[in-house]
Amino acid sequence: DGGITQSPKYLFRKEGQNVTLSCEQNLNHDAMYWYRQDPGQGLRLIYYSQIVNDFQKGDIAEGYSVSREKKESFPLTVTSAQKNPTAFYLCASSIGSGSPNEQYFGPGTRLTVT
Amino acid sequence: ILNVEQSPQSLHVQEGDSTNFTCSFPSSNFYALHWYRWETAKSPEALFVMTLNGDEKKKGRISATLNTKEGYSYLYIKGSQPEDSATYLCAFLTGTASKLTFGTGTRLQVTL
């Protein structure tokens, strides 16, 4: 089955530690995205990548970093510089980011930092 | 940052009721409007991608309309069923951006 996987489903970290969230897709999509959801807010874009070895900052990129070394993978690192890292993180992909194509979402990772 | 607004924030209806939600977005530089359904403990799934003013799309009991000149889209659910319970998200894509801007969603609960 084609789809997007995110792991783990729940992640707990101590404040001051960096943590990397995994996102893998086997849909052969060029574009991939990372969103963050907080209570009462819409999905907010952290980073997106339109093609391998290229990525752009979204609306709330501060304190996050990404890489796109392979088409299938778009890991997100939440660094210690992110002031409020506790949130639900969703990864998505689409055929291309410059077109109106729908996005396909993973199941999400809930990160708790204490 | 673009502003996409959805109303109502939440809605509670009885099985069999028909209902509708609104998504408001900037009317300038429109490229596409997406609707997604997000059920609890699942991933958001696309319902519709709408690109033309006057577009009407339908999937089963769910339909959507689009008015790009005034900047709104309506999502209708006819004869709501408990399985329709979910959060419905709309998202706006401008002609100059490669990224979606999401609204906060309308949370629908359908009870027997």
Side-chain angles (χ1 to χ4, degrees):
Chain A
D1 282 334
I4 300 179
T5 56
Q6 291 184 244
S7 60
K9 190 172 181 179
Y10 298 96
L11 193 52
F12 298 88
R13 281 292 182 272
K14 294 289 187 185
E15 193 173 325
Q17 293 179 334
N18 290 355
V19 59
T20 297
L21 281 59
S22 165
C23 178
E24 303 279 331
Q25 55 100 358
N26 60 4
L27 299 168
N28 200 33
H29 286 170
D30 285 318
M32 296 187 75
Y33 313 83
W34 274 106
Y35 294 94
R36 168 182 171 140
Q37 191 204 28
D38 295 282
Q41 298 202 40
L43 298 179
R44 293 185 292 166
L45 184 66
I46 304 171
Y47 267 98
Y48 64 107
S49 168
Q50 297 174 277
I51 200 165
V52 175
N53 293 322
D54 183 59
F55 49 83
Q56 288 82 39
K57 292 182 179 180
D59 300 319
I60 54 165
E62 186 176 348
Y64 298 98
S65 66
V66 293
S67 63
R68 186 86 187 277
E69 296 175 3
K70 298 187 298 182
K71 189 174 186 176
E72 304 80 27
S73 178
F74 191 41
L76 174 75
T77 297
V78 184
T79 75
S80 57
Q82 167 50 232
K83 294 178 183 177
N84 296 297
T86 295
F88 185 69
Y89 292 88
L90 272 173
C91 178
S93 71
S94 67
I95 292 173
S97 64
S99 67
N101 292 305
E102 65 191 84
Q103 292 187 7
Y104 293 77
F105 287 85
T109 292
R110 185 167 297 280
L111 173 65
T112 302
V113 177
T114 57
Chain B
I1 295 180
L2 300 170
N3 195 28
V4 179
E5 296 185 355
Q6 292 189 246
S7 62
Q9 191 173 8
S10 64
L11 199 51
H12 190 165
V13 302
Q14 300 291 313
E15 182 182 15
D17 289 349
S18 293
T19 187
N20 64 85
F21 328 132
T22 303
C23 173
S24 300
F25 51 86
S27 56
S28 59
N29 205 18
F30 175 87
Y31 193 40
L33 193 284
H34 292 210
W35 280 101
Y36 291 85
R37 175 168 60 197
W38 192 359
E39 296 179 65
T40 302
K42 294 186 177 180
S43 307
E45 288 185 338
L47 286 171
F48 306 113
V49 176
M50 308 177 80
T51 56
L52 298 174
N53 184 43
D55 240 356
E56 289 189 30
K57 299 234 175 180
K58 188 174 181 181
K59 183 182 288 188
R61 294 178 292 98
I62 303 177
S63 60
T65 61
L66 179 67
N67 184 323
T68 61
K69 295 186 188 303
E70 297 183 36
Y72 65 84
S73 175
Y74 293 139
L75 187 80
Y76 300 92
I77 302 179
K78 185 177 178 182
S80 302
Q81 299 296 310
E83 58 264 32
D84 296 327
S85 297
T87 296
Y88 291 82
L89 303 171
C90 72
F92 172 71
L93 182 68
T94 71
T96 54
S98 304
K99 52 182 184 168
L100 290 173
T101 300
F102 280 84
T104 54
T106 293
R107 184 170 181 168
L108 173 67
Q109 189 172 355
V110 183
T111 54
L112 297 171

